Amino acid sequence: MPTPPLAGSTTGPDALRPLLDTVLTALHDGAHQRNGPLPAGGPSATTRRIRAATHPVIPDHGTGPHHALRTLVTALAQGSADPAHPHCAAHLHTPPLALATAADLAASALNPSMDSWDQAPAASTLEADTTAALAAEIYPHHPTPDALITTGGTEANQLALLLARERHGPVQTICATNAHHSINRATWLLGLPEPLTIPAPTGVMDLTALEETLTRHHHRPLLVTATAGTTDTGQIDPLNDIADLCTTHGAELHIDAAYGGPLLFSPTHRTELHGLDRAHSVTLDLHKLGWQPAPAGILAVPDHHHLHPLTHQAPYLNAHDDTEAGLPDLLGRSLRTTRRPDALKIAVTLQALGRTGLADLIDRTITTAHQLADLITHTPTLDLYARPTITTVLFRPTDTDDHTVATIRRTLLTHGRAVLGRAHAHNRLWLKATLLNPHTTPHDLQTLLDHVTHLAHQLKKGNTPR
């Protein structure tokens, strides 16, 4: 077998072209074989199919690039949950834009490593300018805001708590029951006290409980973590009121806006984030309501000096004399060493769509969520939890117990008809539709509800769902 070609240099694109054609054909074929939002048959059937297609994983003699790509990519596409399908709506798992995916291909082919300038000369400047521009959207009235690219909201939240710890020592975190699980995990990982968790009886942080907690623990350095777009219901904490209480009691504020942060780009919906710029740090996740291939997380701070505690020195990557001579020092831009140039796909999307294009995507998707809520409201056999704040809609069949709700969800998964999430609210289990596909139509939504109501009717009659 000849030595396989590489993706880079002037010869790489010619080597990639026929391989990409094979990949695109395999993606097409796999999606047609799946013919739905996810493979039918459940975990055991999917496991059998993927193992039959890929065995042996490491053959004695290679099958060649086209055969391997065709076989494995087709099998993976056939066995995937497809977030681009309008009935795949369980999670904050976005269908990526084609243009962002194409940019990601370029990043993989060039393979800059974002840990030293000599590995990423152009990519380091692109990342610095892109993160500065995003930070300025969050902190428009600050002279030198900055941001880091992360693997997602979990890493960004962890970094926020780490920076707070470096400023104040063992800071005491305060969060509500609606906070993302990564807040608790970060305190454990960083050796911080377990968070003080206050109630969120209406789905958002209770301000009275927050004030009482801040008053009771005023003698300690405090970090309040608020949420702009909760995982279960998509609700946004009263950010400005929380910031007022933090100012009054001398506490710092971190806002996890992994989900809701991109509302900043929409003139119609950015008022939902009033007070965001008062936070000491903000998490943003563009592989949610930003339509980027994962990962595309952001941690923003109001002043670039706030990132100074991340400074790190390794002589083979950022020797002092190299830095003094003008080579940019990249190690303080992450806790990771080797990193992909994820700024490229973000920058391409920002350039291609601009503010108006991003606003249109956001507004379309939120409108779709309200269309779904309207359809549920007008269906006598379905109950709506609440009007959507962003794009999350909770609903359940009327007069149905939680066991039946869970059974409906799993049956839809097993039959390959729909991917709906689950959430507990007001002591009940709800089906959760997290709508992130701007191409979803009212017909798609009605068909989804028809699947649910049909199964609920069968189960009420005591029939085995089909």
Side-chain angles (χ1 to χ4, degrees), residues 84-87 364-365 367-369 371-372 375 435-449:
H85 192 287
H87 296 163
R364 281 174 180 269
T365 310
T367 296
T368 300
Q371 289 171 341
L372 178 59
L375 288 172
L435 300 174
L436 294 173
N437 187 339
H439 294 277
T440 299
T441 67
H443 174 73
D444 295 325
L445 299 174
Q446 185 60 61
T447 304
L448 177 62
L449 296 183

Side-chain angles (χ1 to χ4, degrees), residues 78-423:
Q78 193 275 334
S80 290
D82 181 6
H85 192 287
H87 296 163
C88 188
H91 303 286
L92 287 163
H93 178 200
T94 195
L97 296 170
L99 69 95
T101 305
D104 222 19
L105 167 66
S108 293
L110 294 167
N111 206 31
S113 183
M114 304 300 297
D115 50 308
S116 66
W117 183 87
D118 57 356
Q119 299 177 83
S124 61
T125 300
L126 180 65
E127 179 179 271
D129 290 353
T130 302
T131 52
L134 289 169
E137 295 292 322
I138 296 170
Y139 296 106
H141 306 300
H142 292 256
T144 57
D146 203 355
L148 303 176
I149 291 183
T150 70
T151 54
T154 293
E155 184 188 352
N157 287 338
Q158 178 189 326
L159 281 171
L161 268 63
L162 171 64
L163 291 172
R165 187 191 72 179
E166 293 307 292
R167 288 193 295 270
H168 302 294
V171 62
Q172 174 64 65
T173 303
I174 301 171
C175 65
T177 54
N178 64 354
H180 193 261
H181 67 84
S182 60
I183 300 298
N184 282 68
R185 200 173 191 187
T187 61
W188 164 74
L189 186 64
L190 295 169
L192 295 174
E194 186 176 341
L196 300 172
T197 303
I198 60 179
T202 64
V204 297
M205 184 181 288
D206 183 275
L207 293 174
T208 301
L210 175 60
E211 184 169 26
E212 291 173 353
T213 303
L214 288 169
T215 301
R216 191 180 315 119
H217 297 275
H218 66 90
H219 58 285
R220 307 170 68 178
L222 301 174
L223 176 70
V224 176
T225 65
T227 308
T230 60
T231 303
D232 279 350
T233 63
Q235 290 173 268
I236 296 174
D237 284 336
L239 304 180
N240 209 45
D241 292 335
I242 292 170
D244 285 344
L245 287 173
C246 288
T247 299
T248 299
H249 292 272
E252 290 196 351
L253 173 62
H254 168 66
I255 298 176
D256 178 359
Y259 180 13
L263 296 182
L264 283 173
F265 290 107
S266 168
T268 304
H269 297 288
R270 67 163 61 109
T271 54
E272 298 282 349
L273 299 178
H274 183 53
L276 186 72
D277 61 338
R278 299 177 64 185
H280 292 79
S281 54
V282 173
T283 287
L284 186 67
D285 208 344
L286 294 173
H287 59 247
K288 292 182 171 63
L289 204 61
W291 296 279
Q292 298 298 294
I298 301 288
L299 177 72
V301 293
D303 189 284
H304 66 89
H305 291 301
H306 292 189
L307 300 175
H308 182 73
L310 301 179
T311 300
H312 182 67
Q313 209 267 330
Y316 75 104
L317 293 173
N318 59 345
H320 290 305
D321 57 322
D322 279 348
T323 302
E324 291 169 0
L327 295 183
D329 180 354
L330 305 185
L331 274 188
R333 304 295 298 176
S334 178
L335 292 181
R336 294 170 286 150
T337 303
T338 303
R339 310 189 277 119
R340 299 181 77 252
D342 291 310
L344 175 60
K345 62 197 176 193
I346 298 171
V348 165
T349 302
L350 295 173
Q351 288 257 324
L353 300 182
R355 286 189 178 86
T356 56
L358 286 167
D360 181 65
L361 285 175
I362 291 164
D363 293 349
R364 281 174 180 269
T365 310
I366 292 175
T367 296
T368 300
H370 282 274
Q371 289 171 341
L372 178 59
D374 290 339
L375 288 172
I376 294 166
T377 300
H378 293 113
T379 303
T381 56
L382 293 175
D383 294 337
L384 176 69
Y385 172 71
R387 301 295 299 180
T389 302
I390 310 179
T391 66
T392 300
V393 181
L394 301 189
F395 66 102
R396 56 181 283 149
T398 303
D399 299 326
T400 302
D401 61 22
D402 288 356
H403 173 74
T404 302
V405 172
T407 301
I408 289 171
R409 176 181 175 271
R410 286 192 294 269
T411 302
L412 290 171
L413 291 174
T414 303
H415 290 178
R417 291 177 184 163
V419 188
L420 289 172
R422 53 186 290 160

